[in-house]
Coordinates of all heavy atoms in Angstrom, one line a residue:
M1096 N -128.7 43.2 12.2 CA -128.4 41.8 11.6 C -128.9 40.8 12.6 O -128.9 41.0 13.8 CB -126.9 41.7 11.4 CG -126.6 40.8 10.3 SD -124.8 40.6 10.0 CE -124.5 41.9 8.8
K1097 N -129.3 39.7 12.1 CA -129.9 38.6 12.9 C -128.7 37.8 13.6 O -127.6 37.7 13.1 CB -130.5 37.6 11.9 CG -131.8 36.9 12.5 CD -132.5 36.2 11.4 CE -133.0 34.9 11.8 NZ -132.1 33.7 11.6
T1098 N -129.0 37.4 14.8 CA -128.0 36.6 15.5 C -128.2 35.1 15.2 O -129.3 34.7 14.9 CB -128.1 36.9 17.1 OG1 -129.4 36.5 17.5 CG2 -127.8 38.3 17.4
K1099 N -127.1 34.4 15.4 CA -127.2 33.0 15.2 C -127.4 32.3 16.5 O -127.0 32.8 17.5 CB -125.8 32.5 14.6 CG -125.6 33.0 13.2 CD -126.0 31.9 12.2 CE -125.7 32.4 10.7 NZ -126.2 31.5 9.8
D1100 N -128.1 31.1 16.4 CA -128.3 30.4 17.7 C -127.2 29.4 18.0 O -127.3 28.6 18.9 CB -129.7 29.7 17.7 CG -129.9 28.9 16.4 OD1 -129.0 28.8 15.6 OD2 -131.1 28.4 16.2
Q1101 N -126.2 29.4 17.2 CA -125.0 28.5 17.4 C -123.7 29.3 17.0 O -123.7 30.0 16.1 CB -125.2 27.4 16.4 CG -125.0 26.0 17.0 CD -125.0 24.9 16.0 OE1 -125.5 25.0 14.9 NE2 -124.3 23.9 16.3
A1102 N -122.7 29.0 17.8 CA -121.4 29.7 17.6 C -120.9 29.1 16.3 O -121.0 27.9 16.0 CB -120.5 29.5 18.7
I1103 N -120.1 29.9 15.5 CA -119.5 29.5 14.3 C -118.0 29.6 14.5 O -117.5 30.6 15.0 CB -119.9 30.3 13.1 CG1 -121.4 30.1 12.9 CG2 -119.1 30.0 11.9 CD1 -122.1 31.0 11.9
I1104 N -117.3 28.5 14.2 CA -115.9 28.4 14.4 C -115.2 28.2 13.1 O -115.7 27.4 12.3 CB -115.6 27.2 15.4 CG1 -116.1 27.5 16.8 CG2 -114.1 26.9 15.5 CD1 -116.3 26.4 17.7
C1105 N -114.1 28.9 12.9 CA -113.3 28.7 11.7 C -112.8 27.3 11.6 O -112.1 26.8 12.6 CB -112.1 29.7 11.7 SG -111.0 29.4 10.3
N1106 N -113.1 26.6 10.6 CA -112.6 25.2 10.4 C -111.1 25.1 10.3 O -110.5 24.0 10.6 CB -113.2 24.5 9.2 CG -114.7 24.1 9.5 OD1 -115.6 24.9 9.6 ND2 -114.9 22.8 9.6
C1107 N -110.5 26.2 9.9 CA -109.0 26.1 9.6 C -108.2 26.4 10.9 O -107.3 25.7 11.1 CB -108.7 27.2 8.5 SG -107.1 27.0 7.9
C1108 N -108.6 27.4 11.7 CA -107.8 27.8 12.8 C -108.5 27.7 14.2 O -107.9 28.0 15.2 CB -107.2 29.2 12.6 SG -108.4 30.5 12.8
K1109 N -109.8 27.3 14.1 CA -110.6 27.1 15.4 C -111.0 28.4 16.0 O -111.5 28.4 17.2 CB -109.8 26.2 16.4 CG -110.5 24.9 16.6 CD -109.7 24.0 17.5 CE -110.5 23.3 18.5 NZ -109.7 22.5 19.5
K1110 N -110.7 29.5 15.4 CA -111.2 30.8 16.0 C -112.7 30.9 15.9 O -113.3 30.5 15.0 CB -110.5 31.9 15.2 CG -110.7 33.3 15.8 CD -110.0 34.4 15.0 CE -110.9 35.2 14.2 NZ -110.2 36.3 13.4
V1111 N -113.3 31.4 17.0 CA -114.7 31.7 17.0 C -115.0 32.9 16.1 O -114.6 34.0 16.5 CB -115.3 31.9 18.4 CG1 -116.8 32.1 18.4 CG2 -115.0 30.6 19.3
V1112 N -115.6 32.7 15.0 CA -115.9 33.8 14.1 C -117.2 34.5 14.4 O -117.5 35.6 14.1 CB -115.9 33.4 12.6 CG1 -114.4 33.2 12.2 CG2 -116.7 32.2 12.3
Q1113 N -118.1 33.7 15.1 CA -119.4 34.3 15.5 C -119.9 33.6 16.8 O -120.0 32.4 16.8 CB -120.4 34.1 14.4 CG -121.6 35.0 14.5 CD -122.4 35.0 13.3 OE1 -122.0 35.3 12.2 NE2 -123.7 34.6 13.5
K1114 N -120.0 34.5 17.8 CA -120.4 33.9 19.1 C -121.9 33.7 19.1 O -122.7 34.4 18.4 CB -120.1 34.9 20.2 CG -118.6 35.0 20.4 CD -118.3 35.7 21.8 CE -116.8 36.0 22.0 NZ -116.4 37.2 21.2
E1115 N -122.3 32.7 19.9 CA -123.7 32.3 20.0 C -124.6 33.5 20.6 O -124.2 34.1 21.6 CB -123.8 31.1 21.0 CG -125.2 30.5 21.0 CD -125.2 29.4 22.0 OE1 -124.1 28.8 22.3 OE2 -126.3 29.0 22.5
G1116 N -125.6 33.9 19.9 CA -126.6 34.9 20.3 C -126.1 36.3 20.4 O -126.6 37.1 21.0
V1117 N -125.0 36.5 19.7 CA -124.4 37.9 19.7 C -124.4 38.4 18.2 O -124.1 37.6 17.3 CB -122.9 37.8 20.2 CG1 -122.2 39.1 20.0 CG2 -122.9 37.5 21.7
V1118 N -124.6 39.7 18.0 CA -124.6 40.2 16.7 C -123.2 40.2 16.2 O -122.2 40.5 16.8 CB -125.1 41.7 16.7 CG1 -125.0 42.3 15.3 CG2 -126.5 41.8 17.2
P1119 N -123.0 39.6 15.0 CA -121.6 39.4 14.4 C -120.8 40.7 14.3 O -121.4 41.7 13.8 CB -121.9 38.7 13.1 CG -123.3 38.8 12.8 CD -124.0 39.1 14.0
D1120 N -119.6 40.6 14.7 CA -118.7 41.8 14.5 C -117.5 41.5 13.6 O -116.6 42.2 13.5 CB -118.2 42.3 15.9 CG -117.4 41.3 16.6 OD1 -117.3 40.1 16.2 OD2 -116.9 41.6 17.7
S1121 N -117.5 40.3 13.0 CA -116.5 40.0 12.0 C -117.2 39.2 10.9 O -118.2 38.6 11.1 CB -115.4 39.2 12.6 OG -115.9 38.0 13.2
E1122 N -116.5 39.1 9.8 CA -117.0 38.4 8.7 C -116.2 37.1 8.4 O -115.1 36.9 8.8 CB -117.0 39.2 7.4 CG -117.7 40.5 7.6 CD -118.6 40.9 6.3 OE1 -118.4 40.2 5.3 OE2 -119.4 41.8 6.4
F1123 N -116.9 36.2 7.8 CA -116.2 34.9 7.5 C -116.8 34.3 6.2 O -117.9 34.8 5.7 CB -116.4 33.9 8.6 CG -117.9 33.7 9.0 CD1 -118.6 32.6 8.4 CD2 -118.6 34.5 9.8 CE1 -119.9 32.4 8.7 CE2 -119.9 34.3 10.1 CZ -120.6 33.2 9.5
L1124 N -116.2 33.3 5.7 CA -116.7 32.7 4.5 C -117.4 31.4 4.9 O -116.8 30.6 5.6 CB -115.5 32.3 3.5 CG -115.9 31.5 2.3 CD1 -116.6 32.4 1.3 CD2 -114.6 31.0 1.6
H1125 N -118.6 31.2 4.4 CA -119.3 30.0 4.6 C -119.5 29.3 3.3 O -119.9 29.9 2.3 CB -120.7 30.3 5.2 CG -121.5 29.1 5.5 ND1 -121.2 28.2 6.4 CD2 -122.6 28.6 4.8 CE1 -122.1 27.2 6.4 NE2 -123.0 27.4 5.4
V1126 N -119.1 28.0 3.3 CA -119.2 27.2 2.1 C -120.0 26.0 2.3 O -119.9 25.3 3.3 CB -117.8 26.8 1.6 CG1 -117.9 25.9 0.3 CG2 -116.9 28.0 1.3
E1127 N -121.0 25.8 1.4 CA -121.8 24.6 1.4 C -121.7 23.9 0.1 O -121.8 24.6 -0.9 CB -123.3 24.9 1.7 CG -123.6 25.3 3.1 CD -125.1 25.5 3.3 OE1 -125.9 25.3 2.4 OE2 -125.4 26.0 4.4
K1128 N -121.6 22.6 0.1 CA -121.5 21.9 -1.2 C -122.1 20.5 -1.1 O -121.8 19.8 -0.2 CB -120.0 21.8 -1.6 CG -119.7 20.9 -2.8 CD -120.2 21.5 -4.1 CE -119.9 20.5 -5.3 NZ -120.6 20.9 -6.5
L1129 N -123.1 20.3 -2.0 CA -123.6 19.0 -2.1 C -122.9 18.3 -3.3 O -123.1 18.8 -4.4 CB -125.1 19.0 -2.3 CG -125.8 17.7 -2.6 CD1 -125.6 16.7 -1.5 CD2 -127.3 17.9 -2.9
W1130 N -122.1 17.4 -3.0 CA -121.3 16.7 -4.1 C -122.3 15.8 -4.8 O -123.0 15.0 -4.2 CB -120.1 15.9 -3.5 CG -119.1 16.8 -2.9 CD1 -119.0 17.2 -1.6 CD2 -118.1 17.5 -3.7 NE1 -117.9 18.1 -1.5 CE2 -117.3 18.3 -2.7 CE3 -117.7 17.5 -5.0 CZ2 -116.2 19.1 -3.1 CZ3 -116.6 18.3 -5.4 CH2 -115.9 19.0 -4.4
G1131 N -122.2 15.8 -6.1 CA -123.1 15.0 -7.0 C -122.5 13.8 -7.6 O -121.3 13.4 -7.3
Y1132 N -123.2 13.3 -8.6 CA -122.8 12.0 -9.2 C -121.4 12.0 -9.8 O -120.8 10.9 -9.7 CB -123.9 11.8 -10.3 CG -123.7 10.5 -11.0 CD1 -124.1 9.3 -10.4 CD2 -123.2 10.4 -12.3 CE1 -124.0 8.1 -11.0 CE2 -123.0 9.2 -12.9 CZ -123.4 8.1 -12.3 OH -123.3 6.9 -12.9
F1133 N -121.0 13.1 -10.3 CA -119.7 13.0 -11.0 C -118.5 13.2 -10.1 O -117.3 13.2 -10.5 CB -119.6 14.1 -12.2 CG -120.6 13.8 -13.2 CD1 -121.8 14.6 -13.3 CD2 -120.4 12.8 -14.1 CE1 -122.8 14.3 -14.3 CE2 -121.4 12.5 -15.1 CZ -122.6 13.3 -15.2
S1134 N -118.7 13.3 -8.8 CA -117.6 13.4 -7.9 C -117.5 12.0 -7.2 O -118.3 11.1 -7.3 CB -118.0 14.5 -6.8 OG -118.9 14.0 -5.9
E1135 N -116.4 11.9 -6.4 CA -116.2 10.7 -5.7 C -116.9 10.7 -4.3 O -116.9 9.8 -3.5 CB -114.7 10.4 -5.5 CG -114.0 9.9 -6.7 CD -112.5 9.9 -6.7 OE1 -112.0 10.0 -5.5 OE2 -111.9 9.8 -7.7
K1136 N -117.6 11.9 -4.1 CA -118.3 12.0 -2.8 C -119.8 12.1 -3.1 O -120.6 12.8 -2.4 CB -117.9 13.3 -2.1 CG -116.4 13.3 -1.7 CD -116.0 14.6 -1.1 CE -115.4 15.6 -2.0 NZ -114.3 15.1 -2.8
D1137 N -120.3 11.4 -4.1 CA -121.7 11.4 -4.5 C -122.6 11.4 -3.4 O -122.6 10.5 -2.6 CB -121.9 10.2 -5.5 CG -123.3 10.2 -6.1 OD1 -123.9 11.3 -6.0 OD2 -123.7 9.2 -6.6
G1138 N -123.4 12.4 -3.3 CA -124.5 12.5 -2.3 C -124.0 13.0 -0.9 O -124.8 13.0 0.0
E1139 N -122.8 13.4 -0.8 CA -122.3 13.9 0.4 C -122.5 15.4 0.5 O -122.1 16.2 -0.4 CB -120.8 13.6 0.6 CG -120.6 12.4 1.4 CD -119.1 12.1 1.6 OE1 -118.4 13.0 2.3 OE2 -118.6 11.1 1.2
W1140 N -123.0 15.9 1.6 CA -123.2 17.3 1.9 C -122.1 17.8 2.8 O -121.9 17.2 3.8 CB -124.6 17.5 2.5 CG -124.9 18.9 2.8 CD1 -124.7 19.6 4.0 CD2 -125.5 19.8 1.9 NE1 -125.2 20.9 3.8 CE2 -125.7 21.1 2.5 CE3 -125.9 19.7 0.5 CZ2 -126.2 22.2 1.9 CZ3 -126.5 20.8 -0.1 CH2 -126.6 22.0 0.6
Q1141 N -121.3 18.8 2.3 CA -120.2 19.2 3.1 C -120.3 20.7 3.3 O -120.8 21.5 2.4 CB -118.9 18.9 2.5 CG -118.6 17.4 2.3 CD -117.2 17.1 1.8 OE1 -116.7 17.8 1.0 NE2 -116.7 16.0 2.3
E1142 N -119.9 21.2 4.5 CA -119.9 22.6 4.7 C -118.8 23.0 5.7 O -118.4 22.2 6.5 CB -121.3 23.2 5.2 CG -121.8 22.6 6.5 CD -123.1 23.2 6.8 OE1 -123.2 24.4 7.0 OE2 -124.1 22.5 6.9
F1143 N -118.3 24.2 5.5 CA -117.3 24.7 6.5 C -117.3 26.2 6.5 O -117.9 26.9 5.6 CB -115.9 24.2 6.1 CG -115.4 24.5 4.7 CD1 -114.7 25.7 4.5 CD2 -115.6 23.7 3.6 CE1 -114.2 26.0 3.2 CE2 -115.2 24.0 2.4 CZ -114.5 25.1 2.1
D1144 N -116.6 26.8 7.5 CA -116.5 28.2 7.7 C -115.1 28.6 7.8 O -114.3 27.9 8.5 CB -117.3 28.6 9.0 CG -118.8 28.3 8.8 OD1 -119.5 29.0 8.0 OD2 -119.3 27.4 9.5
I1145 N -114.7 29.7 7.2 CA -113.3 30.1 7.2 C -113.3 31.6 7.7 O -114.0 32.4 7.1 CB -112.7 30.0 5.8 CG1 -112.7 28.5 5.3 CG2 -111.3 30.6 5.7 CD1 -111.7 27.6 6.1
C1146 N -112.4 31.9 8.7 CA -112.3 33.3 9.1 C -111.6 34.1 8.1 O -111.0 33.6 7.2 CB -111.7 33.3 10.5 SG -109.9 33.1 10.5
E1147 N -111.6 35.4 8.3 CA -111.1 36.3 7.2 C -109.6 36.1 7.1 O -109.1 36.1 5.9 CB -111.4 37.8 7.5 CG -111.1 38.7 6.4 CD -111.5 40.1 6.6 OE1 -111.9 40.4 7.7 OE2 -111.3 40.9 5.7
S1148 N -108.8 35.9 8.2 CA -107.4 35.8 8.0 C -107.0 34.5 7.4 O -106.1 34.5 6.6 CB -106.7 36.0 9.4 OG -107.0 35.1 10.3
C1149 N -107.7 33.4 7.7 CA -107.4 32.1 7.0 C -107.9 32.2 5.5 O -107.2 31.7 4.6 CB -108.2 31.0 7.7 SG -107.5 30.6 9.3
Y1150 N -108.9 32.9 5.3 CA -109.4 33.2 3.9 C -108.3 33.9 3.1 O -108.0 33.5 2.0 CB -110.7 34.0 3.9 CG -111.1 34.4 2.5 CD1 -111.9 33.6 1.7 CD2 -110.7 35.7 2.0 CE1 -112.3 34.0 0.4 CE2 -111.1 36.1 0.8 CZ -111.9 35.3 0.0 OH -112.3 35.7 -1.3
D1151 N -107.7 34.9 3.7 CA -106.7 35.7 3.0 C -105.5 34.8 2.6 O -104.9 34.8 1.6 CB -106.2 36.9 3.8 CG -107.3 38.0 3.9 OD1 -108.2 38.0 3.0 OD2 -107.2 38.8 4.8
K1152 N -105.1 34.0 3.6 CA -103.9 33.1 3.4 C -104.3 32.0 2.3 O -103.4 31.7 1.5 CB -103.6 32.3 4.7 CG -102.7 33.1 5.6 CD -102.4 32.3 6.9 CE -102.7 33.1 8.1 NZ -103.0 32.3 9.3
W1153 N -105.5 31.6 2.4 CA -106.0 30.5 1.4 C -105.9 31.1 0.0 O -105.4 30.5 -0.9 CB -107.4 30.1 1.8 CG -107.9 29.0 1.0 CD1 -107.3 27.9 0.5 CD2 -109.3 28.8 0.7 NE1 -108.1 27.1 -0.2 CE2 -109.4 27.6 0.0 CE3 -110.5 29.4 1.1 CZ2 -110.6 27.1 -0.5 CZ3 -111.7 28.9 0.6 CH2 -111.8 27.7 -0.2
V1154 N -106.6 32.2 -0.2 CA -106.6 32.8 -1.6 C -105.2 33.2 -2.1 O -105.0 33.2 -3.3 CB -107.7 33.9 -1.8 CG1 -109.1 33.4 -1.4 CG2 -107.3 35.1 -0.9
E1155 N -104.4 33.6 -1.2 CA -103.0 33.9 -1.6 C -102.3 32.7 -2.2 O -101.3 32.9 -3.0 CB -102.2 34.4 -0.4 CG -102.1 35.9 -0.2 CD -101.4 36.3 1.0 OE1 -100.4 35.7 1.4 OE2 -101.9 37.3 1.7
S1156 N -102.7 31.5 -1.8 CA -102.0 30.3 -2.3 C -102.6 29.9 -3.7 O -102.1 29.0 -4.3 CB -102.2 29.1 -1.3 OG -103.6 28.7 -1.3
F1157 N -103.6 30.6 -4.1 CA -104.2 30.2 -5.4 C -103.2 30.6 -6.6 O -102.5 31.6 -6.5 CB -105.5 31.0 -5.7 CG -106.7 30.6 -4.8 CD1 -106.6 29.6 -3.9 CD2 -107.9 31.2 -5.0 CE1 -107.7 29.2 -3.1 CE2 -109.0 30.8 -4.2 CZ -108.9 29.8 -3.3
K1158 N -103.2 29.7 -7.6 CA -102.3 30.0 -8.7 C -102.9 31.0 -9.6 O -102.2 31.8 -10.3 CB -102.1 28.7 -9.5 CG -101.3 27.7 -8.7 CD -100.5 26.8 -9.7 CE -99.3 26.1 -8.9 NZ -99.8 25.3 -7.8
V1159 N -104.3 31.1 -9.7 CA -105.0 32.1 -10.4 C -105.6 33.1 -9.4 O -106.4 32.6 -8.5 CB -106.1 31.5 -11.3 CG1 -106.8 32.6 -12.1 CG2 -105.5 30.5 -12.3
P1160 N -105.2 34.3 -9.4 CA -105.7 35.3 -8.4 C -107.2 35.4 -8.5 O -107.8 35.3 -9.6 CB -105.0 36.6 -8.8 CG -104.2 36.4 -10.0 CD -104.3 35.0 -10.4
I1161 N -107.8 35.6 -7.4 CA -109.3 35.8 -7.3 C -109.7 37.1 -7.9 O -108.9 38.0 -8.0 CB -109.9 35.6 -5.9 CG1 -109.3 36.7 -5.0 CG2 -109.6 34.2 -5.4 CD1 -110.0 36.9 -3.7
K1162 N -110.9 37.2 -8.3 CA -111.4 38.5 -8.9 C -111.9 39.4 -7.7 O -112.6 38.9 -6.8 CB -112.6 38.2 -9.8 CG -112.2 37.8 -11.2 CD -113.4 37.6 -12.0 CE -113.1 36.9 -13.3 NZ -114.2 36.2 -13.9
T1163 N -111.5 40.6 -7.7 CA -111.9 41.6 -6.7 C -112.5 42.8 -7.4 O -111.9 43.3 -8.4 CB -110.7 42.0 -5.8 OG1 -110.1 40.8 -5.3 CG2 -111.1 42.9 -4.7
R1164 N -113.6 43.3 -6.9 CA -114.1 44.5 -7.4 C -114.8 45.3 -6.3 O -115.3 44.6 -5.3 CB -115.0 44.4 -8.6 CG -116.2 43.5 -8.4 CD -116.9 43.2 -9.7 NE -117.9 42.2 -9.5 CZ -119.2 42.5 -9.3 NH1 -119.6 43.7 -9.3 NH2 -120.1 41.5 -9.1
E1165 N -114.9 46.6 -6.4 CA -115.5 47.4 -5.4 C -117.0 47.3 -5.6 O -117.5 47.3 -6.7 CB -115.1 48.9 -5.6 CG -113.7 49.2 -5.3 CD -113.3 49.1 -3.8 OE1 -114.1 49.5 -3.0 OE2 -112.2 48.7 -3.5
A1166 N -117.7 47.1 -4.4 CA -119.2 47.1 -4.5 C -119.6 48.6 -4.6 O -119.1 49.4 -3.8 CB -119.7 46.5 -3.2
T1167 N -120.4 48.9 -5.6 CA -120.9 50.2 -5.7 C -121.9 50.6 -4.7 O -122.0 51.7 -4.3 CB -121.4 50.5 -7.2 OG1 -122.3 49.5 -7.5 CG2 -120.2 50.6 -8.2
E1168 N -122.7 49.6 -4.3 CA -123.6 49.9 -3.2 C -123.8 48.6 -2.4 O -123.7 47.5 -2.9 CB -124.9 50.4 -3.7 CG -125.7 49.5 -4.5 CD -127.0 50.2 -5.1 OE1 -126.8 51.2 -5.7 OE2 -128.1 49.7 -4.8
F1169 N -124.0 48.8 -1.1 CA -124.2 47.7 -0.2 C -125.7 47.4 -0.2 O -126.5 48.2 0.0 CB -123.7 47.9 1.2 CG -122.2 47.8 1.3 CD1 -121.3 48.8 1.1 CD2 -121.6 46.5 1.5 CE1 -119.9 48.6 1.2 CE2 -120.3 46.3 1.6 CZ -119.4 47.4 1.4
V1170 N -126.0 46.1 -0.4 CA -127.4 45.7 -0.3 C -127.8 45.3 1.1 O -127.0 44.6 1.8 CB -127.6 44.5 -1.3 CG1 -129.1 44.2 -1.3 CG2 -127.1 44.8 -2.7
Ligands
LIG426 ZN1 -109.3 30.9 10.7

């Protein structure tokens, strides 16, 4: 796996999810969103990273449970 040239920090808890120049040993959620015309953030580009434990807490708070399925093969 490719290493990143910049450390990635969980926006929620500040944990370093990926150290600079090191092969990643944990997973995290990366979100990028360009808000468009119909939002109040028209033209704003936002992104954040969430570590796995914060992700678990986050999705647990959802009113509608997320969809989960087993991957039959890893790409
Ligand atoms: Zn976190």
Side-chain angles (χ1 to χ4, degrees):
M1096 209 183 270
K1097 216 168 138 266
T1098 60
K1099 292 263 182 183
D1100 48 6
Q1101 227 189 333
I1103 295 171
I1104 292 162
C1105 172
N1106 281 73
C1107 192
C1108 71
K1109 246 178 139 181
K1110 189 174 102 177
V1111 178
V1112 287
Q1113 200 169 299
K1114 292 192 185 82
E1115 189 182 336
V1117 169
V1118 178
D1120 61 356
S1121 61
E1122 300 223 351
F1123 58 94
L1124 174 72
H1125 178 71
V1126 178
E1127 283 184 8
K1128 170 71 178 165
L1129 174 60
W1130 292 95
Y1132 183 74
F1133 296 104
S1134 75
E1135 284 171 15
K1136 298 178 266 305
D1137 185 16
E1139 263 183 63
W1140 183 263
Q1141 296 186 327
E1142 61 180 297
F1143 59 89
D1144 297 291
I1145 298 290
C1146 75
E1147 191 177 3
S1148 62
C1149 290
Y1150 172 86
D1151 288 342
K1152 277 180 231 156
W1153 185 31
V1154 299
E1155 264 176 37
S1156 73
F1157 288 3
K1158 293 212 164 53
V1159 179
I1161 60 163
K1162 281 181 189 157
T1163 303
R1164 60 191 170 93
E1165 294 287 323
T1167 47
E1168 64 184 57
F1169 280 94
V1170 186

